[in-house]
Amino acid sequence: MRLHGEIGVILAGSQGRFPGQTERLLLSVAANQAVIGLQEARLLSEQKRVASELERRVAERTKELAETENTFARL
């Protein structure tokens, strides 16, 4: 399984033989879990970035609103 934009390697040692069906299944499960972990990490990072941007915009708009309210109060 491949994650867009991510490259990784899972290295498994063998004892002079190719992995059997059980080992291949376990490696496949491990690879899938690694992909899920990478996807979760990427999504969490994106979520934090969006939350930070939203907080910045709210602060900016709150400041603008306070300035507008002050202007109307002076008038």
Side-chain angles (χ1 to χ4, degrees):
M1 183 176 246
R2 186 166 170 223
L3 180 63
H4 177 72
E6 299 290 337
I7 299 175
V9 175
I10 293 179
L11 181 62
S14 68
Q15 298 175 357
R17 61 178 176 78
F18 287 103
Q21 184 176 4
T22 302
E23 289 89 358
R24 285 194 305 272
L25 178 60
L26 290 172
L27 288 170
S28 177
V29 168
N32 287 332
Q33 290 298 312
V35 168
I36 290 169
L38 288 170
Q39 288 172 332
E40 287 177 352
R42 184 173 43 89
L43 290 173
L44 181 60
S45 175
E46 179 67 10
Q47 182 182 21
K48 287 179 180 179
R49 186 194 66 75
V50 169
S52 176
E53 174 65 16
L54 181 58
E55 288 176 7
R56 185 192 66 76
R57 286 183 181 185
V58 167
E60 183 179 291
R61 298 300 163 110
T62 301
K63 180 181 176 186
E64 290 172 1
L65 179 60
E67 290 171 355
T68 301
E69 288 175 343
N70 288 336
T71 300
F72 282 130
R74 284 194 309 262
L75 295 175

